[in-house]
Amino acid sequence: MAAPDGLRFQELEEAAELLSVTPNATTPRAGEERPSQVTVSLSPEEEEAGGDEPGDDTDTTELLGGQRRPRSFWTFEFYQTFFDVDTQQVLDRIRGSVTPVPGKNFVRHHLRHNPDLYGPFWICATLALALAVSGNLAPLAQKRTAPGYRYSPQFHNVTLAATLVYCYAWLVPLALWGFLRWRHRGGAGAYTLLETLCLYGYSLSAYVPAALLWLIPAPWLQWLLLAVAAALSASVLALTLWPPARADSRATAAALVATVVALHTLLAVSCKLYFFQQPVAAGPVPSPVHGPVGAQGVLNISMGGTHPAR
């Protein structure tokens, strides 16, 4: 009889522990099966104090499922997702934009369906500032020892550089995205607008060090740096845009990629020719003694006065 008594006391102890944790729970009698789940009922005060908010369960379910509901266009969270990157991701994408590797797509291997606007925005701002500052300092470094040269800073270059860079980084990819969607009948296989903007923004990172090194007063070195920067970034653009472009005819795809490379190179050449043009030195001031010959003849200056020449 010792064994049944021991079992009975053990059940009473388990029931006491269960009641101390959940006062409203029911304990099974002898011979009944134990329930697989225990339902705990809370009072209205406890539900308000300790219950989870409905939004928390929804967010947790969305996160575990890998999907989130699209945010509204008028909310701050909608734009916050475009800047949700860390420093390591930005550096990795900058390295990928200047290292063309055949068979390695920048959008597929670096963006991974998570494009951002943080990197492109600051790359464009840095490039515009580098062009304006270097363009103002380049004439001073080249003609600082020239006689009669006067340095005058061109502050409007900041506005011109920012307008040129941002218009290129936004309008050209917009036109390219629209053209690909039109040719692909709805955009099947083409990149999204955000991916195209991100691609073009990061492709301009190669021009930032080139613009700073254009301060060196050596024309051959300046053009060499321009060629290297344009070749690296344009190659990444060509390798990335060739897969969606080849869905069309081969002639159209080749013309599209050639146009992209030409526009990208034209941007660098335009910046070089405008912001780093050779300054014109001021000529000698004409002497007031040698005036122009009038209709009445040349005046002879003598000790006695002036007499018209015959």
Side-chain angles (χ1 to χ4, degrees), residues 108-150:
R108 304 304 183 205
H109 290 80
H110 295 279
L111 299 186
R112 303 180 187 276
H113 302 288
N114 185 28
D116 68 286
L117 295 180
Y118 178 85
F121 175 81
W122 287 111
I123 288 174
C124 292
T126 306
L127 178 59
L129 186 62
L131 287 173
V133 174
S134 300
N136 275 282
L137 296 180
L140 183 62
Q142 295 174 1
K143 299 294 183 179
R144 64 180 184 275
T145 58
Y149 173 71
R150 294 182 179 181

Side-chain angles (χ1 to χ4, degrees), residues 68-87:
R68 293 188 66 90
R69 291 179 300 178
R71 303 293 183 180
S72 175
F73 179 80
W74 304 104
T75 59
F76 179 76
E77 289 79 6
F78 177 82
Y79 301 96
Q80 189 177 9
T81 57
F82 301 153
F83 298 85
D84 188 14
V85 288
D86 54 18
T87 304

Side-chain angles (χ1 to χ4, degrees), residues 81-83 107 111 113-118 120 170 173 177 191-201:
T81 57
F82 301 153
F83 298 85
V107 173
L111 299 186
H113 302 288
N114 185 28
D116 68 286
L117 295 180
Y118 178 85
W170 287 88
W177 172 77
Y191 302 134
T192 63
L193 177 60
L194 190 59
E195 289 175 342
T196 310
L197 291 173
C198 187
L199 168 65
Y200 263 81

Side-chain angles (χ1 to χ4, degrees), residues 63-291:
L63 288 175
L64 293 177
Q67 297 179 354
R68 293 188 66 90
R69 291 179 300 178
R71 303 293 183 180
S72 175
F73 179 80
W74 304 104
T75 59
F76 179 76
E77 289 79 6
F78 177 82
Y79 301 96
Q80 189 177 9
T81 57
F82 301 153
F83 298 85
D84 188 14
V85 288
D86 54 18
T87 304
Q88 187 60 36
Q89 288 178 332
V90 173
L91 293 178
D92 178 70
R93 293 175 181 185
I94 290 176
R95 286 192 296 266
S97 65
V98 295
T99 53
V101 179
K104 193 171 184 180
N105 192 306
F106 178 81
V107 173
R108 304 304 183 205
H109 290 80
H110 295 279
L111 299 186
R112 303 180 187 276
H113 302 288
N114 185 28
D116 68 286
L117 295 180
Y118 178 85
F121 175 81
W122 287 111
I123 288 174
C124 292
T126 306
L127 178 59
L129 186 62
L131 287 173
V133 174
S134 300
N136 275 282
L137 296 180
L140 183 62
Q142 295 174 1
K143 299 294 183 179
R144 64 180 184 275
T145 58
Y149 173 71
R150 294 182 179 181
Y151 173 73
S152 60
Q154 305 293 328
F155 295 105
H156 65 278
N157 285 349
V158 179
T159 306
L160 291 177
T163 303
L164 177 63
V165 171
Y166 277 101
C167 286
Y168 173 82
W170 287 88
L171 296 181
V172 173
L174 179 61
L176 176 64
W177 172 77
F179 178 79
L180 289 176
R181 284 186 61 88
W182 171 64
R183 296 295 297 182
H184 290 181
R185 302 297 188 272
Y191 302 134
T192 63
L193 177 60
L194 190 59
E195 289 175 342
T196 310
L197 291 173
C198 187
L199 168 65
Y200 263 81
Y202 278 103
S203 68
L204 296 177
S205 60
Y207 290 152
V208 175
L212 296 176
L213 293 176
W214 282 343
L215 281 171
I216 302 175
W220 65 270
L221 181 60
Q222 294 176 353
W223 287 106
L224 178 62
L225 292 172
L226 184 149
V228 172
L232 292 177
S233 56
S235 299
V236 174
L237 285 177
L239 292 174
T240 305
L241 294 174
W242 178 252
R246 68 181 178 184
D248 208 326
S249 62
R250 195 172 187 85
T252 304
L256 178 64
V257 174
T259 303
V260 168
V261 174
L263 290 176
H264 200 68
T265 307
L266 181 62
L267 174 69
V269 174
S270 302
C271 293
K272 171 66 178 64
L273 294 178
Y274 181 82
F275 295 102
F276 296 87
Q277 56 185 344
Q278 296 293 332
V280 180
V285 180
S287 175
V289 177
H290 302 86

